[in-house]
Amino acid sequence: MAEALNAEVAEISGTVERITYKNQNNGYTVAEVKLPGESITVVGMLPFLTEGDCAVFYGSYTVHPTYGRQFKAESFERKTPENAAAVLRYLSSGAIKGVGPATAQRIVEKFGTDTLEIIQNRPQELASIKGISLSKARDISEEYNKQYGVRDIMLMLSKYNVTPDRCLKIFKHFGAQSVDTIKKNPYVLCEEGLDFRFETAEDIAADMDFDKQSELRITAGLEYVLRKNLLNGHTCLPRTKLLEVACRLLGCPYDAAESACDRLIECFRIKEKSISGTDYLSIPAYYSAEEHIAARLLAVKRYIDRSITADSLEIDNVERQLGIKFEELQRKAITEAFESGILVLTGGPGTGKTTTLNAIIKLFENRGLEPELAAPTGRAAKRMTELTGREAKTIHRLLEVEWGDGDNRQFSRNEKNPLSCEVIIIDEASMIDALLFDSLLKALRLSCRIILVGDSDQLPSIGAGNVLGDILASDMFPSIRLNKVFRQASKSMIITNAHAIINGETPDFSIKNSDCFFLKRTSRADVSRTVTELVSERLPAAYKFDPIRDIQVLCPSRLLDTGTVSLNNMLQTALNPDTGKKAQLSFKGIYFRVGDKVMQTKNNYDLQYKRDGGEYGTGVFNGDVGFITDIDKRGGIMTVRYDDRTVTYFSEDLSELEPAYAVTVHKSQGSEYRAVILAAVNGPPMLLTRGVLYTAITRAKELLIIVGDEEVVARMVSNDRQMNRYSGVRWFLSHPEALEKPEDAMLPF
């Protein structure tokens, strides 16, 4: 065979003698393979390669700087072992779960070269061997067929860059019929749980000459548009809007989309609800979640125990204990927390939310009712703990996230196993999406008082829904908006300017020696250069800030020259350059390096973490920020530290991470930083809003610097465009007669 280092695509055929390394998560494998006349090390993503395999490998020769000459395999095909000895070696390797060397010996002695055919097609015959029950025989066959099933999927989808772990996910979803199912309808890959990009399904369909006017394609496109808009925060869409967008995506006639839409409604794959004369369509899970949220909140309102109250003398006593004097609205909030089943407490920075909250907690504790404290994110929970002096948990941790059958997320705490608390206080409530709030309500007893705390002027949740906004807009529950800025807080220009912005006033940057500055830069290049200098040199020198841990750059958008993508490249070069001494991994043009600050960009309930002290758990969530502490280049493994947790990432997980030297304002919600630098340059009006500016400013604790154009800041102040979302909680709250299963909300008491 002609050898070509790092060049020609080649193939080799041999027997796997030894597996020296295998990453069980991503399938990366290092194997010693016996070829005619020699042995060679084969490396690559080979998740089902086992000792004893006879296989053909496709790839190229390469020379590793440490390990020498290797064959880097892009794919492989397993060949049937040619003789009984090869079959025995294969089975003895542990390739099939439940078959060890002794069992393998007995099987091969009885069936010889027919062994694998028996396992695949006639497993009941295995039960004739001592020690193998009929049930075990079926398990052996299922495991063997799974390996071959995933292999077939990999062969089918390899040209579309589908990773081994996603192929395994497909097999778990469709089983042995996976390949046939995809051939019949490639758009099944876009279903919930698989979540392939529609473009990938289109590529597969095009190669199969799939009919573009097929109803299967059109229905898949309609569902895809609905799920895609969940990422924009919408739990539903007007029917006409959905059809228009789907027609543009699919290039199909409007009547064909209408017909497909009706079919989806008939088979309950889409839910339809008429609101004020407009038909809205939604994914059933989100429809049910919003319906249950409304039903449950209304039930709490009706059935809460109103005998528990807080009188003026008790509040006066807390005032003396805390050494403060409550404002009228603060006293009202404290009273409502006891007298109402549900209370929404809002207000901007410096208005006394924390003081009020601590008083509420103290009074409940005096009654022997210890409130449960929670927040949507780890950062928000940590901050709540610091401000109250009591442990606060993330909602996910509170609900004890776990996995059910079929890799489905579920919570241990639910209707059947509710939390025991009688009071729950949720901070940063504007960040709670519909599905998470629904799960929380299911885990609460009907007698539990619910206090939602947040800033209604901040941006809505990253996930779909507008829970806090809908609850406030419904006017169905008591809400207290604290609006007086206390004297100490008023000394901060950060707080002063935040309130000015909410009132539609231009922020004041003229005060010298304040905590709020504006640096005028007219070009994008100057903005980027100034931001980089501030982070890497000027602020660390002047304020002794740690440039990576204390300073956060915020941007309205990801793109353009001053978006997070560009600024992260510049900041990484300045703060953590490639010196050749630090390990790094590359993923789609992004270099992750030991020491980098990174952010998780989607909820992943499967990622395992280890807390300080040895506690294990699962779940890393959208917006969590950590630091890369270790990289194993050979195995494609990266370790990230999140506060008190350590998480291991494998190569297939890297798509969920991005550098976090600069993040979007939306992603910064729930976090506070010692210093914030906001890049304010021209961009899409939907991103240059008053809410974005306000949210950015209120992330800063000690120092805020805006770099950019004063006119852009003025436009943001005047642009009071709300992040309007299509959601249903408000409507359901206002129309209890429309609730299909209000009785579900009545349990547990």
Side-chain angles (χ1 to χ4, degrees), residues 561-630:
D561 295 343
T562 52
T564 60
V565 174
S566 176
L567 281 172
N568 270 317
N569 286 332
M570 295 180 67
L571 289 165
Q572 185 190 45
T573 300
L575 300 173
N576 192 26
D578 181 10
T579 62
K581 297 180 180 179
K582 290 184 177 181
Q584 63 181 24
L585 286 176
S586 164
F587 182 83
K588 293 186 177 180
I590 299 174
Y591 285 91
F592 295 101
R593 198 168 295 136
V594 171
D596 277 339
K597 179 163 63 173
V598 292
M599 174 179 283
Q600 177 76 14
T601 61
K602 64 180 291 188
N603 291 339
N604 188 326
Y605 301 93
D606 196 25
L607 281 174
Q608 187 180 76
Y609 62 76
K610 182 180 180 182
R611 292 192 184 276
D612 296 346
E615 176 193 352
Y616 286 89
T618 59
V620 184
F621 306 107
N622 193 353
D624 286 353
V625 174
F627 300 87
I628 300 174
T629 58
D630 187 61

Side-chain angles (χ1 to χ4, degrees), residues 95-240:
I96 300 177
K97 188 177 177 181
V99 180
T103 303
Q105 183 74 41
R106 292 197 298 272
I107 295 173
V108 176
E109 283 179 355
K110 185 171 180 66
F111 299 111
T113 56
D114 294 332
T115 294
L116 298 183
E117 195 275 330
I118 296 289
I119 291 174
Q120 184 175 14
N121 299 313
R122 306 196 307 272
Q124 66 275 8
E125 295 185 26
L126 295 175
S128 64
I129 298 174
K130 185 178 179 181
I132 300 180
S133 65
L134 185 59
S135 174
K136 184 176 181 178
R138 289 169 177 163
D139 290 343
I140 292 171
S141 181
E142 182 179 342
E143 181 68 19
Y144 179 81
N145 286 319
K146 180 179 79 172
Q147 293 185 14
Y148 274 80
V150 175
R151 180 204 64 181
D152 291 341
I153 298 169
M154 291 172 63
L155 290 173
M156 179 185 186
L157 301 180
S158 60
K159 65 181 289 187
Y160 307 104
N161 298 317
V162 180
T163 59
D165 64 300
R166 299 201 78 182
C167 290
L168 181 58
K169 200 170 187 178
I170 293 169
F171 184 86
K172 289 180 178 179
H173 200 79
F174 296 117
Q177 304 303 313
S178 295
V179 171
D180 288 341
T181 300
I182 296 170
K183 287 180 178 179
K184 289 177 182 177
N185 179 15
Y187 297 98
V188 296
L189 295 173
C190 300
E191 290 181 359
E192 187 175 4
L194 296 176
D195 302 316
F196 275 64
R197 295 170 64 248
F198 195 78
E199 293 80 1
T200 302
E202 288 274 68
D203 289 342
I204 298 170
D207 289 342
M208 296 167 48
D209 293 325
F210 200 85
D211 182 7
K212 285 201 168 191
Q213 300 305 318
S214 165
E215 188 174 86
L216 292 174
R217 176 176 179 263
I218 297 173
T219 55
L222 288 164
E223 290 181 302
Y224 179 80
V225 172
L226 274 178
R227 283 195 296 274
K228 189 77 171 175
N229 272 278
L230 293 172
L231 301 177
N232 297 324
H234 305 302
T235 59
C236 57
L237 288 178
R239 179 182 172 113
T240 53

Side-chain angles (χ1 to χ4, degrees), residues 381-452:
K382 183 179 180 181
R383 179 169 169 267
M384 194 180 190
T385 298
E386 294 168 351
L387 294 174
T388 64
R390 297 160 177 86
E391 184 187 15
K393 301 176 182 177
T394 65
I395 296 175
H396 294 88
R397 188 181 179 195
L398 181 68
L399 299 181
E400 300 173 18
V401 70
E402 63 179 21
W403 283 92
D405 296 335
D407 291 345
N408 293 315
R409 181 204 76 186
Q410 60 185 30
F411 294 109
S412 295
R413 296 294 189 167
N414 49 42
E415 306 99 315
K416 297 179 180 179
N417 182 30
L419 297 164
S420 60
C421 58
E422 292 297 323
V423 183
I424 189 167
I425 301 173
I426 307 296
D427 199 13
E428 296 288 354
S430 63
M431 299 178 64
I432 306 176
D433 60 66
L435 291 186
L436 184 58
F437 195 54
D438 179 43
S439 295
L440 175 63
L441 291 178
K442 287 176 178 175
L444 297 178
R445 299 181 185 275
L446 200 60
S447 57
C448 182
R449 284 170 164 78
I450 302 169
I451 301 171
L452 301 174

Side-chain angles (χ1 to χ4, degrees), residues 392-575:
K393 301 176 182 177
T394 65
I395 296 175
H396 294 88
R397 188 181 179 195
L398 181 68
L399 299 181
E400 300 173 18
V401 70
E402 63 179 21
W403 283 92
D405 296 335
D407 291 345
N408 293 315
R409 181 204 76 186
Q410 60 185 30
F411 294 109
S412 295
R413 296 294 189 167
N414 49 42
E415 306 99 315
K416 297 179 180 179
N417 182 30
L419 297 164
S420 60
C421 58
E422 292 297 323
V423 183
I424 189 167
I425 301 173
I426 307 296
D427 199 13
E428 296 288 354
S430 63
M431 299 178 64
I432 306 176
D433 60 66
L435 291 186
L436 184 58
F437 195 54
D438 179 43
S439 295
L440 175 63
L441 291 178
K442 287 176 178 175
L444 297 178
R445 299 181 185 275
L446 200 60
S447 57
C448 182
R449 284 170 164 78
I450 302 169
I451 301 171
L452 301 174
V453 184
D455 189 341
S456 57
D457 293 313
Q458 287 189 29
L459 299 171
S461 61
I462 297 173
N466 188 23
V467 172
L468 184 64
D470 278 358
I471 292 173
L472 286 168
S474 73
D475 288 327
M476 299 293 291
F477 310 99
S479 63
I480 306 295
R481 182 182 177 91
L482 304 179
N483 50 29
K484 180 180 179 178
V485 180
F486 287 86
R487 183 179 300 174
Q488 186 174 356
S490 67
K491 297 177 182 178
S492 166
M493 288 305 298
I494 294 174
I495 292 176
T496 299
N497 281 331
H499 286 274
I501 289 166
I502 287 303
N503 293 327
E505 301 168 4
T506 302
D508 183 3
F509 299 107
S510 65
I511 308 298
K512 293 183 178 180
N513 300 318
S514 77
D515 55 3
C516 202
F517 299 92
F518 181 86
L519 300 180
K520 184 175 182 177
R521 300 292 187 271
T522 55
S523 73
R524 296 184 187 277
D526 285 343
V527 170
S528 298
R529 187 164 46 251
T530 300
V531 168
T532 304
E533 289 175 357
L534 285 167
V535 176
S536 61
E537 301 173 15
R538 295 166 61 177
L539 295 188
Y543 295 90
K544 308 303 179 187
F545 289 145
D546 183 304
I548 297 178
R549 295 182 178 273
D550 294 337
I551 306 171
Q552 185 60 59
V553 176
L554 301 181
C555 310
S557 75
R558 286 177 48 81
L559 305 177
L560 306 176
D561 295 343
T562 52
T564 60
V565 174
S566 176
L567 281 172
N568 270 317
N569 286 332
M570 295 180 67
L571 289 165
Q572 185 190 45
T573 300
L575 300 173

Side-chain angles (χ1 to χ4, degrees), residues 360-372:
I360 291 171
I361 295 171
K362 183 69 175 175
L363 280 165
F364 274 118
E365 288 176 342
N366 290 345
R367 295 294 185 85
L369 301 173
E370 187 171 341
E372 192 74 66

